[in-house]
Amino acid sequence: MRIVVPAGGTGGARFVRGLLAALADSSGTGAPGEGWTVTVIGNTGDDLTMWGLRVCPDIDTVLYTLGGGIDDERGWGRVGETFTVKDELAEYDSLPTWFGLGDRDLATHLTRTALLADGATLSEATAVLAARWELPGRGVRLLPMSDQPVETHVRLVPPGEDAPRLVHFQEYWVRWRAEPAVEAVVSVGAEDAVPAPGVLEAITEADFILLPPSNPVVSIGSVLAVPGIRTAIEESLAPVVGVSPIVGGQVVRGMADKLLPAIGVDVSAAGVGLAYGPGLLDGWLMDTSDAADVDRVAAAGIACRAVPLMMTDVPATAEIARQALALGELVEQ
Amino acid sequence: MRIVVPAGGTGGARFVRGLLAALADSSGTGAPGEGWTVTVIGNTGDDLTMWGLRVCPDIDTVLYTLGGGIDDERGWGRVGETFTVKDELAEYDSLPTWFGLGDRDLATHLTRTALLADGATLSEATAVLAARWELPGRGVRLLPMSDQPVETHVRLVPPGEDAPRLVHFQEYWVRWRAEPAVEAVVSVGAEDAVPAPGVLEAITEADFILLPPSNPVVSIGSVLAVPGIRTAIEESLAPVVGVSPIVGGQVVRGMADKLLPAIGVDVSAAGVGLAYGPGLLDGWLMDTSDAADVDRVAAAGIACRAVPLMMTDVPATAEIARQALALGELVEQ
């Protein structure tokens, strides 16, 4: 069973962790990497160069979450993290310090940056990092969506300025805490990017494609913005099932509610499912609190079910993954 | 009073700290930077690029020692240092970890590397770092010997190899603990380097030039290898007084005894003074334990005195600096 999951940061990583638990629990699936494989197509739209280091926030969140190194309370960064380097940088007062790079996290960025400087592609560098977190042994292949830089920028009026301009998503998200109104979301570099090696093949050969409850605009949306990926998913013979990141009209985590209006999408489970649309989705899971909208989504030609969607812990998340796979099997028939 | 001190790492930095204490103690010298200035010409021959970061070990030792951030017990790096990033890098097992980069230290390298990447010269980057450590307010101007990379390499047979080759000095010093025999010392890039802005002017305008007890081969020797610097010191009207790094036939600190034979110099206070020679030196301070050799040095035309040279603490070091200045005044007359 070959499962493909385009994934952003916390939501995507937690979903995959639950999926792995579900696969491990099911009898007869065999060992990781034999009976089944999970290919994660990691969003690199959030990537940025900070302090001369190449930082891939979503890739790192997947690595740390699946490898057992994540700070589960924050949902990003390393557990037991310290910030000695960042504090010292503030003393020098020469580099920006709004981005929260921890000491342990820095080792990841230093390793990646050195590998890239040595001529490795982002795919190759990611494979080196994934080896340390034992992703292959867990049945997971983590691929960046593209080896070319594709950076998500948002158009807004920065605090203290008069006119709108494009700023890096991380600057909007972390530095300005998503407070300025977003007028547009742009994937800078997407038109010149191609999917990383293995991405299209994984989609074409997939038995299931699952869209986790990642941010539909800047996580899943960025992956789909790489030329060829959306078409490959649309044309795939595998069932494509998504999990709503909106529960009861609220974002469970993150700030997708600030971004959905910028692309003209309702902040609702049905709104996101219909925005993905029947061309992309075969099935759509919404939370039980959104059950009233199931028929509206189904009427558009997307098989829709309402099940509990709160990823409160790994067993609850594994159950969501099982529901997604079950809906996939249903629509396949 | 304008004093110029070409300096390496621990020995040079401690000498300058003592010199500053001596200047602060003397009546009538005025405030730092007004009545007197100390221009330190920092050795950059030890510099290396490690993990993609530009590291300047001797410059940093001067910054930390004069700025109060040094680990005085080790003689290098930051007091209260932690090694979280380095430990994490070891987990990735992808980059060399023989070089002991601490977390606090890393902020210095990140800041320098980012400034250089932004187009700053090493002089300009050093000035930014020096501002944080308040060197200007202490009356100290720290200049790198050159803005061009000049890296000290040594020819040796690396452990486990058959034939001699050039390796970076830090690799010999830190990784192999100065154990392989050194056949030659080479300043790679020196022929294409020019002194950094202000270096030659400071030497020409100096009232005193003091050679601290730094490594004569790879610290002072590297500074003198930059075309123009040795000649400027030789032609300077200011008295040039050196302080022996060898006491009682032993190196006080470091491993100069491993390197002096490679350049054909006796491991003795007189040997180093005579190797610098009367063309460079007007005066030479040796330790009282080496008093028997004073006449031999004096016979070569170098004013020589035997005084206690152990830099056990700041007051003892200040007294050495006073003796150096006094010998300078004597030879000037």
Side-chain angles (χ1 to χ4, degrees):
Chain A
M1 183 159 60
R2 292 156 297 186
I3 305 172
V4 169
V5 186
T10 309
R14 288 184 177 168
F15 179 80
V16 173
R17 184 169 60 181
L19 173 63
L20 296 180
L23 291 166
D25 284 350
S26 45
S27 61
T29 51
E34 294 177 19
W36 50 268
T37 58
V38 175
T39 299
V40 175
I41 303 173
N43 170 41
T44 58
D46 295 6
D47 294 6
L48 75 167
T49 299
M50 177 61 61
W51 309 343
L53 305 175
R54 193 63 182 164
V55 181
C56 303
D58 282 3
I59 292 279
D60 293 346
T61 297
V62 172
L63 289 170
Y64 301 159
T65 301
L66 301 186
I70 195 80
D71 182 330
D72 238 330
E73 201 152 319
R74 287 187 303 183
W76 56 272
R78 297 288 307 279
V79 67
E81 186 59 294
T82 52
F83 291 88
T84 309
V85 178
K86 185 182 165 175
D87 290 346
E88 283 293 317
L89 280 171
E91 292 292 327
Y92 279 116
D93 198 20
S94 181
L95 297 179
T97 53
W98 54 263
F99 196 80
L101 293 187
D103 299 332
R104 286 179 169 74
D105 212 14
L106 255 171
T108 306
H109 311 317
L110 280 165
T111 301
R112 173 188 294 119
T113 304
L115 291 166
L116 293 174
D118 256 8
T121 63
L122 183 59
S123 295
E124 291 163 348
T126 303
V128 170
L129 302 177
R132 179 253 165 110
W133 293 106
E134 298 175 355
L135 264 56
R138 300 175 202 272
V140 175
R141 190 166 56 137
L142 172 60
L143 306 176
M145 65 192 199
S146 176
D147 280 342
Q148 287 84 44
V150 178
E151 293 190 351
T152 304
H153 284 61
V154 292
R155 180 177 295 280
L156 51 77
V157 181
E161 297 186 23
D162 294 328
R165 62 179 174 89
L166 285 179
V167 303
H168 192 287
F169 173 70
Q170 292 289 352
E171 193 168 354
Y172 157 70
W173 198 250
V174 179
R175 184 175 185 188
W176 292 324
R177 296 163 193 281
E179 279 160 16
V182 170
E183 299 174 7
V185 180
V186 183
S187 286
V188 176
E191 64 276 16
D192 299 321
V194 296
V199 166
L200 294 183
E201 294 80 350
I203 293 170
T204 304
E205 295 166 4
D207 299 306
F208 290 93
I209 298 172
L210 305 180
L211 302 192
S214 291
N215 187 313
V217 186
V218 292
S219 296
I220 306 297
S222 295
V223 177
L224 296 177
V226 178
I229 293 186
R230 175 187 281 272
T231 305
I233 295 177
E234 287 173 353
E235 294 178 351
S236 164
L237 299 176
V240 180
V241 175
V243 178
S244 174
I246 310 281
V247 167
Q250 306 274 336
V251 286
V252 176
R253 194 193 151 76
M255 299 169 274
D257 52 332
K258 308 284 185 77
L259 291 165
L260 286 167
I263 59 164
V265 173
D266 277 353
V267 183
S268 70
V272 173
L274 293 169
Y276 282 140
L280 190 77
L281 288 181
D282 299 305
W284 185 238
L285 288 184
M286 310 202 299
D287 187 68
T288 44
S289 61
D290 297 305
D293 285 337
V294 163
D295 289 347
R296 188 153 66 94
V297 176
I302 301 169
C304 189
R305 274 191 186 172
V307 299
L309 286 192
M310 295 301 282
M311 300 193 292
T312 43
D313 54 21
V314 174
T317 312
E319 181 54 28
I320 298 170
R322 272 188 287 269
Q323 293 287 349
L325 291 170
L327 185 56
E329 283 173 3
L330 192 74
V331 298
E332 203 173 17
Q333 287 160 358
Chain B
M1 185 158 57
R2 292 155 298 185
I3 305 172
V4 168
V5 186
T10 309
R14 286 184 179 169
F15 179 79
V16 173
R17 185 169 59 181
L19 174 62
L20 296 180
L23 291 166
D25 283 351
S26 45
S27 60
T29 51
E34 293 177 17
W36 50 268
T37 58
V38 176
T39 300
V40 176
I41 303 173
N43 170 42
T44 58
D46 294 7
D47 294 6
L48 74 168
T49 299
M50 179 58 61
W51 307 345
L53 304 175
R54 192 63 182 164
V55 180
C56 302
D58 282 4
I59 293 279
D60 292 347
T61 297
V62 173
L63 290 170
Y64 301 160
T65 301
L66 302 186
I70 195 79
D71 183 329
D72 240 329
E73 200 152 323
R74 286 186 306 180
W76 56 271
R78 297 288 308 280
V79 66
E81 187 58 295
T82 52
F83 292 88
T84 309
V85 177
K86 186 181 165 176
D87 291 347
E88 283 293 316
L89 280 171
E91 293 292 326
Y92 279 117
D93 198 20
S94 181
L95 297 180
T97 52
W98 53 264
F99 196 80
L101 292 188
D103 298 332
R104 286 178 170 74
D105 213 14
L106 255 172
T108 306
H109 313 316
L110 280 165
T111 300
R112 172 187 295 117
T113 304
L115 291 167
L116 293 173
D118 257 8
T121 63
L122 184 57
S123 295
E124 291 164 346
T126 302
V128 169
L129 303 176
R132 179 255 165 110
W133 294 105
E134 299 175 355
L135 265 56
R138 300 175 201 271
V140 176
R141 192 167 55 139
L142 172 60
L143 307 176
M145 65 191 199
S146 176
D147 280 342
Q148 287 83 46
V150 178
E151 292 189 351
T152 304
H153 285 60
V154 292
R155 180 177 297 280
L156 51 75
V157 180
E161 299 186 21
D162 295 328
R165 61 178 175 90
L166 286 179
V167 303
H168 192 287
F169 173 72
Q170 293 289 353
E171 192 167 354
Y172 158 69
W173 198 251
V174 179
R175 184 175 183 188
W176 293 323
R177 297 163 194 280
E179 279 160 16
V182 170
E183 300 174 8
V185 180
V186 183
S187 285
V188 176
E191 63 277 13
D192 297 322
V194 295
V199 166
L200 294 184
E201 293 80 350
I203 294 170
T204 303
E205 295 166 4
D207 299 306
F208 291 93
I209 298 172
L210 305 180
L211 302 191
S214 292
N215 188 313
V217 186
V218 293
S219 295
I220 306 297
S222 295
V223 176
L224 296 177
V226 178
I229 292 185
R230 176 187 280 272
T231 305
I233 294 176
E234 286 173 351
E235 295 179 351
S236 164
L237 299 176
V240 180
V241 176
V243 178
S244 174
I246 310 283
V247 166
Q250 306 273 335
V251 286
V252 176
R253 194 195 151 76
M255 298 168 274
D257 53 329
K258 308 285 185 77
L259 292 165
L260 286 167
I263 60 163
V265 173
D266 277 353
V267 182
S268 71
V272 173
L274 293 169
Y276 281 142
L280 189 75
L281 287 182
D282 299 304
W284 186 240
L285 288 184
M286 309 202 300
D287 187 67
T288 44
S289 62
D290 297 307
D293 285 337
V294 163
D295 290 346
R296 187 154 65 95
V297 176
I302 300 170
C304 190
R305 274 190 187 173
V307 298
L309 286 192
M310 296 300 283
M311 300 193 291
T312 43
D313 53 22
V314 174
T317 311
E319 180 56 26
I320 298 169
R322 271 189 288 269
Q323 293 286 351
L325 291 170
L327 185 56
E329 282 173 4
L330 192 72
V331 298
E332 204 174 17
Q333 289 164 353

